[in-house]
Amino acid sequence: MSERTAEPAGVGVAGAGYVGLTTAACLAHLGHRVTCVDTDAAKVTALRAGQVPIAEPGLPELVEQGLSDGGLAFTTDLAALREPALVFLCLPTPTGDRGAPDLGAFDDALAQLRGGLRPGCVVVIKSTVPVGTADRVADTLGVSVVSNPEFLREGHAVHDFLHPDRVVVGARDETAARAVAGLYAGLDAPLLHTTPASAELAKYASNAFLAVKASYVNELAELCERLGADVVDVVRTMGLDNRIGSAFLSPGPGWGGSCLPKDTRALLHTAGESGLDFSVLADAVAANARQCDRVVAKVRHAVTGSAEGSLAGLRLGVLGVTFKAGTDDVRESPALAVAERLAAEGAQLTAYDPGAQADLRLEHVHLVDDPLLVAKDAAGIVVLTDWPQFRDLNWAQLGQLAEQATVVDARNLLDPGELGQAGFAYWGLGRR
């Protein structure tokens, strides 16, 4: 593909959600003039004041920088997208019927943009959308359309945008492809120019593969327990093979969040619509559902002494409710799935999470702001999110406060030896 250029561009961004706000702030940081449009007036007002509604390291600083130097603006007026040469679509595509993405917000934006873009405008799709969407948008809007999928991890989104593993540009129009590639000038990353269909599928394929890998290691942890092996040693050995790598090889209560569940469902739906039985991915999804049951069974055994013991009336402490460390996101959180199952069996749950928003209200969990309150009179403590801060808690003090010094570490986050010295019985996943 032609070399990227570094000329500043006028950019519009439709949607100030997680992806849209990160995209807008980072492109402004790269020197482009960015206008971000969102229909939520309260959100726009807050953003104009530099108030970022999501917990993402580095994002508030970039928004403040963009506002200060005039490179970033926020508005509710969709007409602001008539002037930029490039318009990014960053609308939510949650799970809809039968696993297919719900494109309601995305299509509403298309309807409002139709006939309202400048001649020669290039529309760039950041939203995760089904294969064929870029071609459909091109037909609808009568402009060149580029698929430029995002690969942003929550808690690392700014870093991932500015230090990407790859930049994917799916386009039929070479001129449009060059224009989008030019936005990323100066970033040290491979640039892949492909077709829109391949770019769209690559996003789903990447997340689905991560889901398969995560389910694999959870199944492996179960096998380690049955055979007397230690999953920590096993995956350390695996990770040193550069064909495998160490990422996504940590057992846990399951995978969740805003991306992997919906993207695996969407890819399974797409495969089914095309007549393919994507059994490897379907089995990974089924294994993920079983993982919640395994963790609950381990908690039951640890605190009652029996796999068939009753949790009714027992007080349990929970460390972590967000779907992973470094975020305040509880969407499809496996930690909450386990907590809800424990509550359904009659356990009384008190939880602490350093990233949870102060106004978060959970139906079956009493959220507190001090980890010591989690341990008070507890029959056991369950670690469900991989916050590194949990390693530094005063576990000896927690053990003194607990009715029963038992910890179920569903993230293999803690050091069993240190927990033993603090007086705890330690239960991990796949550990001897």
Side-chain angles (χ1 to χ4, degrees):
M1 180 178 177
S2 300
E3 190 173 328
R4 286 170 272 184
T5 63
E7 296 179 5
V11 178
V13 175
Y18 194 90
V19 173
L21 184 56
T22 301
T23 298
C26 287
L27 287 176
H29 175 72
L30 293 176
H32 307 295
R33 302 178 305 279
V34 183
T35 301
C36 187
V37 180
D38 198 279
T39 58
D40 187 333
K43 179 190 291 186
V44 168
T45 298
L47 288 170
R48 284 174 171 170
Q51 299 169 7
V52 175
I54 57 177
E56 186 58 44
L59 189 55
E61 292 80 2
L62 288 192
V63 169
E64 183 178 354
Q65 174 194 352
L67 292 170
S68 176
D69 63 24
L72 179 61
F74 297 97
T75 181
T76 58
D77 186 3
L78 202 68
L81 299 180
R82 294 175 181 170
E83 293 303 318
L86 298 103
V87 172
F88 280 76
L89 301 183
C90 303
L91 292 311
T93 55
T95 298
D97 294 338
R98 297 181 298 138
D102 179 355
L103 299 180
F106 186 88
D107 287 341
D108 285 347
L110 289 187
Q112 296 179 66
L113 290 174
R114 190 171 186 175
L117 299 174
R118 64 180 285 180
C121 177
V122 176
V123 168
V124 188
I125 300 177
K126 274 285 184 193
S127 298
T128 303
V129 293
V131 175
T133 301
D135 289 341
R136 178 171 69 87
V137 172
D139 291 340
T140 300
L141 300 181
V143 299
S144 293
V145 175
V146 175
S147 175
N148 177 221
E150 53 85 12
F151 299 95
L152 306 178
R153 298 169 297 163
E154 289 195 38
H156 303 271
V158 170
H159 178 274
D160 290 348
F161 193 102
L162 298 176
H163 305 275
D165 293 326
R166 70 285 205 197
V167 175
V168 180
V169 176
R172 301 189 186 282
D173 182 339
E174 178 70 20
T175 301
R178 282 199 302 270
V180 174
L183 296 174
Y184 299 94
L187 300 186
D188 184 18
L191 176 66
L192 283 72
H193 182 192
T194 185
T195 64
S198 294
E200 290 162 338
L201 184 57
K203 173 57 190 290
Y204 284 118
S206 295
N207 276 353
F209 183 78
L210 294 177
V212 170
K213 195 174 181 183
S215 286
Y216 176 86
V217 77
N218 283 334
E219 297 274 87
L220 182 64
E222 176 73 9
L223 182 61
C224 285
E225 290 185 11
R226 298 187 183 195
L227 299 180
D230 191 322
V231 73
V232 172
D233 293 336
V234 173
V235 300
R236 183 183 295 125
T237 303
M238 294 170 58
L240 292 174
D241 187 328
N242 59 19
R243 297 169 301 172
I244 298 173
S246 60
F248 270 69
L249 279 185
S250 298
W255 40 266
S258 62
C259 293
L260 263 61
K262 80 176 182 68
D263 289 354
T264 51
R265 288 191 287 260
L267 189 54
L268 284 172
H269 178 270
T270 297
E273 291 288 295
S274 70
L276 173 67
D277 179 14
F278 207 152
S279 56
V280 170
L281 182 55
D283 288 345
V285 172
N288 193 55
R290 291 194 297 270
Q291 190 64 10
C292 178
D293 295 332
R294 287 181 180 146
V295 173
V296 170
K298 186 176 289 291
V299 173
R300 192 187 304 118
H301 195 178
V303 302
T304 71
S306 169
E308 289 77 37
S310 172
L311 296 176
L314 292 183
R315 189 177 184 283
L316 296 177
V318 172
L319 290 175
V321 296
T322 55
F323 87 94
K324 70 171 186 176
T327 179
D328 59 357
D329 198 344
V330 296
R331 288 176 291 179
E332 300 213 37
S333 168
L336 280 185
V338 171
E340 289 171 359
R341 189 73 57 84
L342 293 171
E345 294 195 13
Q348 300 173 6
L349 305 180
T350 302
Y352 168 76
D353 190 299
Q357 295 185 1
D359 60 352
L360 178 64
R361 296 292 178 266
L362 302 174
E363 183 176 356
H364 304 292
V365 181
H366 176 54
L367 203 61
V368 296
D369 59 4
D370 186 341
L372 293 179
L373 297 176
V374 165
K376 191 174 187 324
D377 301 325
I381 298 173
V382 189
V383 179
L384 293 176
T385 307
D386 53 341
W387 287 98
Q389 294 94 315
F390 295 157
R391 294 192 185 102
D392 300 326
L393 295 178
N394 187 332
W395 283 97
Q397 186 176 7
L398 291 173
Q400 292 170 357
L401 290 170
E403 179 181 294
Q404 181 174 269
T406 297
V407 63
V408 177
D409 184 1
R411 293 284 186 170
N412 287 351
L413 179 71
L414 309 175
D415 185 311
E418 291 181 5
L419 268 292
Q421 292 178 2
F424 275 88
Y426 177 88
W427 296 63
L429 299 187
R431 308 302 304 272
R432 290 178 295 184

